[in-house]
Amino acid sequence: MDTLIVGGGIGGLTLALAVHAAAPDSRIRIFEAAADVRALGVGINLGPHAVKELSALGLENALVAVACTPQDYAFFTRHGQLVYREPWGRAAGHQWPHLSIHRGDLHQVLLAAVRGRIGARNFFTGYRCTAFEQDEDSVTARFAAPDGAALAAQRGDILVGCDGIHSVVRRQLYPGEGAFCFRGINLWRGVTRQQPFLTGRSIARIGARHATLIVYPIRDAIDAAGNQLINWVAEIEREVAVPVDWSKPGRLEDFSPTYQDWTFDWLDAAAMIRNADLILSYPMVDRDPLERWTFGRVTLLGDAAHPMYPQGGNGGAQAIIDAATLGRLLKSAPDPVAALQAYEAERAPATARIVLQNRSAPPNVIVDTVEQRTRGKRFERLEDIISQDELRAIFERYQKVAGYHVNQVGRPPAQRG
Ligand SMILES: Cc1cc2nc3c(=O)[nH]c(=O)nc-3n(C[C@H](O)[C@H](O)[C@H](O)COP(=O)(O)OP(=O)(O)OC[C@H]3O[C@@H](n4cnc5c(N)ncnc54)[C@H](O)[C@@H]3O)c2cc1C
């Protein structure tokens, strides 16, 4: 089997490793548009459902060494009042940890494994896919160099479009798709070096629909003073979307006024935002789910297949689960084309449910419910407004659709009933 992978991001690299694990003697080539690979982005969350797959590929220790492993997830109102908190990752009984990690660190771990197992010569940089064609026996991909010059076409048995949010492979399959769906929310994402907050291993989600702030550490003990690299994401309602570009710098003055009085006894969020090392912007955009990803020898994976709102720790995780699923099916299905069809049948409905849930019941619906009932004011007694059981049920529902509830992913062998 000869696999062409278009895009060397999180999904493409994981797929290369999964195909290699399933068929070590097969030929695997990854074609990445960027001319050089740099540690881009800020933080990304991977739940135990995704870490389970990375662990099966032998990457858990390398990832844990460069990531943070949160032990609790807490929701607060925009006044900093605690609404709901529950144990997270291993502390919630999972066999695998939850990882909060710099996307660049995740990418480096995956890339080192690809170079070690599949060979650096099979990871092509400066190869932007421009088109593909297929016949009964093979698929051929066409490429351009960063200067636009055509590169030699490459032929394989299957082609997987892992080329992200602006996928060229998807555009060829669905030429008239039009603009992304914008939910009226923009994100400003940043990192700040500062002292740990709460337990030092907490994910905090503050505020609700009009303005939310999600805060979590992604690198531990980064200096002698014990600072962490703290990742934060500010989600604010806006009428106009910022560009759909993961690397677009964001401007402090465009969003920081919303948070200027978000100073709590457990976190000075306003100062954290002011002191950022890096600020990037991104809009809350997705696309309507596709029923079909697979066309003969070609399929889609990750953001190319199911662009979803980057929230709830799903964007990266679902790409990783896609990759692991396809790897397994390439081993068990009678032929590669049948594997691509089985992959679509398993993954398209599952990811469609997450795309739709992120629209209708995003994770901040917990605090939204509370703020609606308090009309955005401070509360005296939370139990007069909502019960912990109701809050737990809302959050459990989200986790079950996202596929990372502890009953779905698995407990350590010693704790299984
Ligand atoms: C530069 C960058 C920074 C990001 N930062 C964050 C972040 O901070 N937090 C977060 O949650 N998510 C971030 N993401 C998105 C996140 O990686 C994805 O949502 C998720 O991991 C799904 O992975 P994916 O492999 O589908 O897409 P991606 O990880 O986006 O990978 C797609 C890859 O395909 C390459 N590519 C695109 N077009 C072509 C083409 N025509 N030919 C060949 N290669 C092509 C891209 O350069 C990229 O390497 C970032 C993505 C990128 C590209």
Side-chain angles (χ1 to χ4, degrees):
M1 192 177 61
D2 188 344
T3 305
L4 306 177
I5 298 176
V6 174
I10 306 307
L13 294 178
T14 309
L15 178 66
L17 295 169
V19 175
H20 179 72
D25 296 330
S26 71
R27 187 173 191 207
I28 303 160
R29 284 168 292 164
I30 306 129
F31 300 94
E32 166 56 44
D36 55 349
V37 178
R38 285 173 296 134
L40 297 173
V42 284
I44 193 163
N45 271 306
L46 301 177
H49 57 336
V51 178
K52 175 183 183 175
E53 304 295 357
L54 295 170
S55 177
L57 293 171
L59 299 174
E60 185 176 329
N61 291 344
L63 290 167
V64 168
V66 292
C68 289
T69 51
Q71 63 173 29
D72 64 314
Y73 199 127
F75 292 80
F76 298 84
T77 65
R78 52 95 56 238
H79 304 290
Q81 293 182 287
L82 180 66
V83 169
Y84 180 70
R85 183 176 202 155
E86 69 173 43
W88 205 242
R90 283 220 163 99
H94 278 282
Q95 179 169 355
W96 295 274
H98 175 113
L99 301 180
S100 298
I101 188 167
H102 194 293
R103 183 187 178 274
D105 293 341
L106 169 62
H107 196 254
Q108 287 302 323
V109 169
L110 293 170
L111 189 54
V114 163
R115 286 181 169 145
R117 298 176 196 181
I118 303 169
R121 68 188 181 288
N122 290 311
F123 181 74
F124 296 78
T125 50
Y127 269 71
R128 184 170 54 82
C129 181
T130 53
F132 64 85
E133 60 235 28
Q134 58 177 319
D135 57 29
E136 288 273 292
D137 304 317
S138 66
V139 55
T140 302
R142 310 214 166 267
F143 297 95
D147 65 2
L151 296 166
Q154 305 289 332
R155 202 159 155 219
D157 294 322
I158 55 171
L159 180 151
V160 187
C162 307
D163 48 344
I165 192 85
H166 297 291
S167 169
V168 163
V169 178
R170 178 176 174 131
R171 202 177 312 139
Q172 184 169 334
L173 297 171
Y174 291 95
E177 262 200 312
F180 289 98
C181 309
F182 174 57
R183 183 187 167 206
I185 293 178
N186 284 331
L187 316 179
W188 281 270
R189 307 139 51 225
V191 282
T192 306
R193 282 167 289 144
Q194 64 173 52
Q195 285 292 300
F197 68 95
L198 295 175
T199 64
R201 291 172 64 191
S202 301
I203 300 179
R205 187 173 262 280
I206 316 159
R209 184 176 161 85
H210 306 295
T212 301
L213 192 64
I214 303 116
V215 192
Y216 51 87
I218 54 172
R219 282 183 192 147
D220 212 3
I222 55 170
D223 57 25
N227 283 315
Q228 293 179 320
L229 190 66
I230 305 282
N231 188 84
W232 47 264
V233 184
E235 301 180 355
I236 311 184
E237 276 187 335
R238 285 290 148 90
E239 278 175 18
V240 179
V242 292
V244 185
D245 175 355
W246 283 110
S247 300
K248 183 84 186 162
R251 296 190 319 173
L252 194 60
E253 57 271 33
D254 288 343
F255 71 102
S256 61
T258 302
Y259 299 98
Q260 62 191 357
D261 61 344
W262 289 36
T263 301
F264 318 122
D265 52 4
W266 55 274
L267 176 72
D268 186 345
M272 178 186 70
I273 289 171
R274 271 196 317 272
N275 294 334
D277 285 347
L278 172 71
I279 300 174
L280 301 169
S281 63
Y282 197 78
M284 193 78 99
V285 289
D286 67 5
R287 288 192 185 280
D288 291 338
L290 295 175
E291 276 180 24
R292 191 167 174 201
W293 300 349
T294 297
F295 295 76
R297 297 177 174 278
V298 176
T299 197
L300 301 169
L301 186 148
D303 283 353
H306 45 70
M308 56 178 64
Y309 296 152
Q311 59 181 7
N314 281 312
Q318 295 304 322
I320 288 164
I321 297 169
D322 288 349
T325 306
L326 182 50
R328 270 195 294 276
L329 289 165
L330 283 167
K331 189 169 185 176
S332 61
D335 63 69
V337 173
L340 299 190
Q341 278 162 0
Y343 155 74
E344 172 194 290
E346 185 170 334
R347 294 299 298 154
T351 50
R353 281 194 291 278
I354 301 173
V355 171
L356 298 178
Q357 160 160 287
N358 277 342
R359 289 180 182 179
S360 61
N364 63 6
V365 85
I366 282 201
V367 183
D368 211 23
T369 309
V370 172
E371 291 199 347
Q372 275 174 26
R373 294 181 193 178
T374 59
R375 295 177 200 278
K377 301 217 165 57
R378 294 181 70 88
F379 56 75
E380 290 299 323
R381 283 165 31 103
L382 182 62
E383 56 272 36
D384 294 340
I385 298 157
I386 194 164
S387 73
Q388 288 293 303
D389 285 347
E390 194 179 339
L391 292 165
R392 189 173 305 110
I394 298 173
F395 198 32
E396 266 198 10
R397 239 184 339 266
Y398 188 88
Q399 292 178 43
K400 284 184 176 158
V401 172
Y404 53 67
H405 190 269
V406 66
N407 293 343
Q408 297 163 294
V409 186
R411 296 174 192 273
Q415 290 177 24
R416 287 179 203 149

